[in-house]
Amino acid sequence: MHLDFSDERVMAVVAHPDDAECLCAGTLGRAKADGAAIAICVLCRGDKGQPARPIENLAVVREKEMQAAAAEAGAELFEGRFGDGELADGVAQRAAVVEIYRRFRPTLVLAHWRDDYHSDHRAAGAVAEAASWYCASAGHRTESDVLPCQPALWWMDSMNMSGFEPGFFVDVSDFVGLKRRMLACHKSQLKRADDGDFSPLEEQMLRQCDARGAQAGVDAAEAFRIHAAWRRARAW
Ligand SMILES: [Zn+2]
């Protein structure tokens, strides 16, 4: 089966500035190469991801890092600007993401898995999913026009593959270089390699796409599950 993203508009909704790199940047790169429009929506500012020697104005530094990473991928960047560790599935957060969907008009949303390790990831997944319904609901008004239909939604792999049973794999063998170049933009986080509560990012990213690749019989892969809810599932 050949997956063709050429007519799609693909948006990854992630919690933190460097999450897309680990979980879906290869798929975004592949979609872009097919001719799709791609976007990354980062909901938290990354303001608490401090290395051992704290960085002043970390949220500003990380905004520049995520802008550089998005530019590397040719992705449009949207920001929720919520505080790290403060993201919850609430009315204001849903409305913010509904408006972001209405500006980018995605046909496919990539969202964090419900059992991922970090509460911001779990909240981001819940908000992304709820907003994928309301963005096409005329009763939910935001600044931009209502969408004609809901985008499809795929759940992304969890960080370190914990508790995630893949539904299918996307071959990203040709896009590992892109994942590495994007991750290299997050210099503030690469300094955290020695933190006890933080694993070396690049090593983890490569291990994950290698392992998923091994399961799928290719050099590197990213794993997803289809969200089989009404109007969020599509035949491909
Ligand atoms: Zn994260």
Side-chain angles (χ1 to χ4, degrees):
M1 186 186 86
H2 182 70
L3 194 56
D4 179 6
F5 290 97
S6 56
D7 294 326
E8 305 293 338
R9 299 182 61 79
V10 186
M11 172 178 270
V13 180
V14 295
H16 305 118
D18 53 359
D19 288 332
E21 284 72 356
C22 293
L23 301 176
C24 66
T27 300
L28 290 176
R30 208 179 130 166
K32 178 88 180 175
D34 280 354
I38 61 170
I40 302 170
C41 169
V42 180
L43 292 181
C44 299
R45 295 182 298 150
D47 55 300
K48 297 190 185 72
Q50 286 283 13
R53 185 180 294 181
I55 296 171
E56 226 179 303
N57 300 323
L58 181 61
V60 177
V61 170
R62 296 200 71 185
E63 184 172 42
K64 293 205 175 87
E65 291 174 348
M66 67 175 124
Q67 285 166 347
E72 191 70 54
E76 207 173 325
L77 179 67
F78 294 85
E79 296 176 53
R81 296 201 170 91
F82 296 101
D84 279 10
E86 298 171 12
L87 193 66
D89 177 16
V91 174
Q93 292 85 349
R94 290 179 179 187
V97 176
V98 164
E99 172 59 19
I100 287 169
Y101 287 168
R102 287 174 178 173
R103 280 159 52 203
F104 180 70
R105 309 177 76 78
T107 58
L108 172 64
V109 166
L110 310 178
H112 283 300
W113 178 237
R114 62 174 178 249
D115 292 330
D116 206 353
Y117 83 109
H118 194 291
S119 70
D120 287 337
H121 287 218
R122 296 191 293 274
V127 172
E129 195 279 336
S132 74
W133 179 262
Y134 297 124
C135 64
S137 175
H140 290 261
R141 292 197 186 160
T142 61
E143 206 173 302
S144 301
D145 291 341
V146 65
L147 296 187
C149 63
Q150 292 81 0
L153 190 146
W154 294 354
W155 300 114
M156 298 186 288
D157 204 350
S158 64
M159 214 53 97
N160 205 38
M161 305 171 283
S162 304
F164 186 87
E165 183 64 37
F168 62 98
F169 301 91
V170 175
D171 182 353
V172 298
S173 304
D174 293 339
F175 299 93
V176 176
L178 173 66
K179 281 164 77 77
R180 297 179 82 153
R181 289 197 303 280
M182 289 175 69
L183 197 61
C185 297
H186 298 278
K187 292 189 175 61
S188 69
Q189 300 308 291
L190 299 173
K191 287 181 186 158
R192 300 180 67 192
D194 298 330
D195 289 10
D197 69 340
F198 205 76
S199 57
L201 265 184
E202 188 178 33
E203 196 182 302
Q204 182 183 317
M205 180 192 80
L206 294 175
R207 193 172 60 224
Q208 185 152 345
C209 67
D210 274 2
R212 292 311 194 191
Q215 292 175 322
V218 296
D219 286 342
E222 289 170 342
F224 298 91
R225 296 170 67 104
I226 282 177
H227 183 34
W230 189 36
R231 292 191 177 170
R232 261 64 63 81
R234 266 202 275 150
W236 299 85

